[in-house]
Structure formats: C-alpha cells, structure tokens
C-alpha cells in the first residue's frame, strides 16, 4: 500500500556539516506502520545518536527526500512501488559517489533472498540486514555503514561472497522470473511452513492479499497446492 505523504524533513540545500556523534538517517519503506516502529526504536537521538530526518514510501518520494536532506545513511527497503530499492540506488548514484559527505545505503528488508541481496549490493548499498534485527544492532549497523564498513546479517554475507567470487552470471530461472517480488516473498514463506496469518503479519499485508498471491503463484507455476509449491521451492534451493 503506497502512501503519498512523505516527510522531507529538511529544506533542499547542500549537505549539512557532519556531527561525529550523530548520524542523520532517512527511512524508505512503503509500510507506514513499519516506519513508525523503526522511528520509535532508533529515533530517540539523545539515546541512540540517530536522527531521522525524513521518510519516503516509494521510489520517487525516496529520491526527492534523499536529495533534499542529504543524510549520512538511508535505510532502504528492497521492494518499493516505482521500481524497487535498486531504482532508488540508480537515481541516487551521484550522491553515493560524492567526494564530500557521500550518502550511504543500508538495505533493511523482510526478504533474505540471494537475488535481492546481490541486486542492491551491486547497485551500491553498503550492507543488507533483515527486519528481524534488534534495535540496538540496527543502530550499530547504521554507524558502521556511516563509517564506510560493509554490514550484513550473518547468513547473507555468503550470498555476496559467492556472487562476487564468481565471474559467471547466475542462471536464469524462467519459472521464477514469472513471479513478482512480492509473490517470491510469499512463496518462500509458504515453503518454510508459515501460516497465512503469519505471512500477513511478516509482510504487513492482509490475509486476503496473501491468499491472492498464493493463488497467483500456483497458477503461474502450474502447481496444485502448497505441498507441491514447497517441493518446487526446495528443489530450487529457495527455502
């Protein structure tokens, strides 16, 4: 569900002088409730050193807010209306490569799929953590990314090492390519044994929407039920 009321947080202008004890952050995620939760968890500046200077719910809003506020770090969801996190990275490339006060990106996503991780890292993100991360670890990750470190949730680092150690492009899976990013998320959670209600809570969507995604996945893959879907996903090592 896309929202239209992005908070730009600061007027357009050059990047402000950096405060070594504080990091300025923009939150980019299309779920208002999730942004509110992150803001409450990390945005008490006197305690965490993190100052949330803007929010955005889609690609266009993200580019506008990031350009206006010039934060040190952007917390970026992978799946966004308007082209996804990779499109935000593409359009913000000049800010990432700036000689002074470059903007750095840390992906924060429910997805732990290898193609999502590799995609945003190739796009220029400095790290990738999943939404199961604790508030304290997220604050630590933000400061590390600000300092130029690369930060990953433990099991995700292997995806990146494997991808960049190989000169061969990953094989194209035509069946998987038929699915949208959201359908892939639902597919993986179904294959891991999650109930519809659990998936809805995890992805911040309704149970009815989950049911619609499952029906679409079964139709596109020409499968009959979730047991066949689980076998299909396991055979492709997506679980």
């Amino acid at each position: 569900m896309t929202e239209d009321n992005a908070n730009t947080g600061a007027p357009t202008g050059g990047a402000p002088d950096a405060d070594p004890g504080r990091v300025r952050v923009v939150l980019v995620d299309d779920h208002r409730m999730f942004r509110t939760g992150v803001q409450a968890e990390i945005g008490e500046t006197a305690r965490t050193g993190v100052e949330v200077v803007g929010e955005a719910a889609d690609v266009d809003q993200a580019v506008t807010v990031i350009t206006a506020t010039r934060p040190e770090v952007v917390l970026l969801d992978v799946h966004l209306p308007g082209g996804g996190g990779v499109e935000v990275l593409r359009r913000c490339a000049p800010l990432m490569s700036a000689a002074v006060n470059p903007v750095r990106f840390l992906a924060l996503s429910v997805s732990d799929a290898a193609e999502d991780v590799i995609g945003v890292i190739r796009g220029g993100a400095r790290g990738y953590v999943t939404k199961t991360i604790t508030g304290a670890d997220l604050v630590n990750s933000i400061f590390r990314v600000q300092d130029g470190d690369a930060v990953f949730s433990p099991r995700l680092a292997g995806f990146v090492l494997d991808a960049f150690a190989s000169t061969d492009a990953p094989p194209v899976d035509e069946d998987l390519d038929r699915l949208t990013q959201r359908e892939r998320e639902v597919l993986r959670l179904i294959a891991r044994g999650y109930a519809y209600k659990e998936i809805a809570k995890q992805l911040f969507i309704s149970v009815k929407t989950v049911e619609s995604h499952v029906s679409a996945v079964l139709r596109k893959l020409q499968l009959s039920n979730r047991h066949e879907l689980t076998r299909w996903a396991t055979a492709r090592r997506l679980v």
Side-chain angles (χ1 to χ4, degrees), residues 14 16-17 22 34 64 73 105 130 145 147 157 181 191 200 210:
D17 293 335
R22 179 176 298 187
F34 180 76
T64 298
V73 176
F105 287 78
T130 60
V145 166
D147 289 340
Q181 291 289 353
V210 174

Side-chain angles (χ1 to χ4, degrees), residues 1 30-31 182 185-186 189 196-211 213:
M1 163 183 325
D30 63 335
H31 294 100
R182 181 62 88 192
E185 290 178 346
V186 171
L189 293 174
Y196 285 6
K197 288 183 179 179
E198 293 173 320
I199 296 173
K201 183 178 180 181
Q202 182 93 349
L203 300 181
F204 299 94
I205 57 180
S206 69
V207 173
K208 185 175 181 180
T209 301
V210 174
E211 292 172 349
H213 285 314

Side-chain angles (χ1 to χ4, degrees), residues 17-28:
D17 293 335
D19 182 337
R22 179 176 298 187
V23 56
R24 301 169 67 257
V25 170
V26 164
L27 304 178
V28 181

Side-chain angles (χ1 to χ4, degrees), residues 151-172:
V151 179
F152 297 93
S153 293
R155 69 180 296 266
L156 305 185
F159 296 155
V160 179
L161 291 174
D162 290 345
F164 287 91
S166 173
T167 56
D168 297 327
V172 175

